[in-house]
Amino acid sequence: MIKPVKLTLISMLLMTSLSVKAEHQVTFTLNTNQDGPRINKNIYGQFVEHLGRGIYEGIWVSKNSNIANTNGFRNDVIKALKELKVPLMRWPGGCFADEYHWRDGIGDPAKRPTKVNTHWGGVEETNEFGTHEFFELAEMVGAETYVNGNLGTGTPREMAEWLEYMTSDKNSTLANERRQNGREAPFKVDYFAIGNEAWGCGGHMRPEYYADLYMHWATFLKTPKGHRPKFIASGGSGNARGLEWTDVLSKNITRNMDAISYHYYTLPKGQWQEKGKAIDFPVSEWNSTIVNTLKIDDYIAKNLQVLEQNDPEGKIGFYVDEWGTWYDAEPGREPGFLYQQNTIRDAVVAAANFNIFHKYAERVHMTNIAQMVNVLQAMILTDKEKMLLTPTYYAYQMYTPFQDATALTVHTEQMAYEKIGDDTIPAVTISAAKGQDGNTYLALVNLSATETSDVFLTLNGEKLKYAKGQQLTANKLDAHNTFANPNRVKPVDYQTKVKSGKLNFNLPAASVTVVKLY
Ligand code: AHR
């Protein structure tokens, strides 16, 4: 049943203030015994690029810094990332990857060349953070690794040698060089991509040309037995380009490809020239952000239909290896650093995307939010020695029980919708899974800027009495954490129980709720 609700004049005029008004009524049914696919933990992966203060200052401060560190890595950030259970990190780019020459980032740091980061702000790149530092970071955090190779300005030989340097257990000159640089055992490369955004910053190629290059280069990427990473072809983005690239790559790359990647960024205004602000935005931009972020659902579905046709056996994964919100640069900041504040809107966007990724977990085995620290939709912001956790960090933390969980099917019985211009959005999205600990978890996102939702859930399969977990919300649509007030947006404990055979959730507008069922 559709229950259209009109935004009142008051709610539209209120700008970013959150007003609680009439309730949406929503009902779902969940069968706790009906198993779906595994939700790969790497759906919660992170992207780390040499961009702005994403690595330098954000993660790496060097050993002689006044900021508390272990081997050059900031202690506060590493602790927060460990607590977040980051499962996977992608490095060194992004656009940066196609200009990165791995030899610049190995050996004595004092002797490493200083280059110019031509993509991001034209700043000096000291190469202090290189291959060894990336793997040390991943090992400290306990994350799997995704290395993005340079197709744009590299050669097949350079790429093959990097892989040999990282993975060889032989007595080869390259493996011995790694040993001399302090690493005896091969590094564990879990994923390796050949180029990035080959349709754009990676070389402005046609997909047919890229597919040929991929086949050629991948032929020479050899690793010892047991050390082969999953190889990723760099796919398209958005709507039409995404489909074209998925189609051409899945038809033309006939070997050495485990997955095709895909990028989608959420821009409030849906255009790159003027994207919309990170804070201080009107209600209309909350709404358009939600409309734009939900588009990924349809884009993924269409890409998976193409893959279903070209690869019915399901051998090729579909990895959304860049996604998240992208706002206008803050006035006074270097635009090439892509630094932006992060509000409750970002947390709601993140959670809405998680629920979509869970739906497609059969083929979507990895996603990486852009980016982990200080860049775009970050988990963590730093200002020299200060650090804060963003609302997006808390969304990731609340969803950790979904890592490697088994998806459960939720049936929508009654949904309320909001009409946003020509678009219609559901009031609530929901996802459920059986966690690795055997418990059932439920995530509910109230997408509405203004309306609370009264949600009823009928449970089939198990006798459950109550639900307990956390809720993240705020009293303003652009509520965010600052260095002066780092705890403004934080999850609080939440509990609800079964009433007349149904679990009843009262979800505030603009909220994320994750509970365990008892
Ligand atoms: O995440 C920032 C940039 O966005 C990446 O470097 C690039 O791949 C994409 O266009």
Side-chain angles (χ1 to χ4, degrees), residues 241-439:
R241 183 191 282 134
L243 281 181
E244 185 196 5
W245 278 70
T246 301
D247 186 37
V248 174
L249 304 194
S250 56
K251 276 183 182 143
N252 292 282
I253 302 179
T254 52
R255 55 200 299 152
N256 295 324
M257 178 176 73
D258 297 289
I260 296 173
S261 71
Y262 171 82
H263 295 176
Y264 180 68
Y265 283 98
T266 300
L267 317 178
K269 297 186 179 181
Q271 46 149 341
W272 288 97
Q273 299 78 357
E274 206 194 315
K275 298 178 265 298
K277 291 203 282 183
I279 53 173
D280 239 346
F281 50 82
V283 174
S284 60
E285 278 180 35
W286 171 284
N287 291 333
S288 57
T289 303
I290 301 299
V291 166
N292 288 334
T293 212
L294 295 181
K295 286 182 182 162
I296 200 174
D297 192 332
D298 184 47
Y299 297 164
I300 295 178
K302 285 185 180 142
N303 275 277
L304 296 191
Q305 276 165 21
V306 168
L307 285 178
E308 215 45 57
Q309 268 190 346
N310 298 347
D311 169 43
E313 288 171 37
K315 288 188 185 149
I316 306 170
F318 188 71
Y319 297 172
V320 186
D321 69 358
E322 282 184 34
W323 67 274
T325 54
W326 195 323
Y327 305 124
D328 292 330
E330 277 181 25
R333 288 196 187 261
E334 163 57 56
F337 281 12
L338 309 186
Y339 178 90
Q340 62 191 35
Q341 248 301 354
N342 194 293
T343 68
I344 183 66
R345 176 177 62 171
D346 293 87
V348 167
V349 163
N353 277 274
F354 300 154
N355 289 356
I356 293 168
F357 299 148
H358 295 173
K359 225 166 85 177
Y360 300 112
E362 192 90 51
R363 238 190 241 260
V364 176
H365 306 148
M366 175 215 283
T367 89
N368 304 121
I369 193 166
Q371 300 191 5
M372 195 159 76
V373 187
N374 285 336
V375 177
L376 297 176
Q377 192 177 345
M379 310 301 108
I380 294 172
L381 299 178
T382 66
D383 180 11
K384 301 183 190 74
E385 75 291 349
K386 288 179 249 162
M387 181 203 83
L388 65 79
L389 306 177
T390 65
T392 298
Y393 177 98
Y394 291 116
Y396 269 81
Q397 195 176 50
M398 289 164 74
Y399 271 74
T400 51
F402 285 87
Q403 293 191 16
D404 280 338
T406 304
L408 298 170
T409 313
V410 182
H411 298 282
T412 307
E413 306 296 338
Q414 178 191 333
M415 179 52 71
Y417 294 90
E418 288 188 357
K419 186 106 182 76
I420 315 288
D422 292 338
D423 297 285
T424 305
I425 59 161
V428 171
T429 78
I430 186 165
S431 185
K434 183 87 71 186
Q436 282 202 303
D437 57 6
N439 291 302

Side-chain angles (χ1 to χ4, degrees), residues 50-79:
H50 288 245
L51 197 176
R53 293 184 293 115
I55 291 179
Y56 300 110
E57 184 191 305
I59 296 168
W60 172 263
V61 287
S62 81
K63 291 173 193 157
N64 49 11
S65 168
N66 292 334
I67 300 173
N69 70 84
T70 305
N71 286 342
F73 298 94
R74 338 179 28 134
N75 292 344
D76 52 358
V77 170
I78 297 295
K79 180 172 175 282

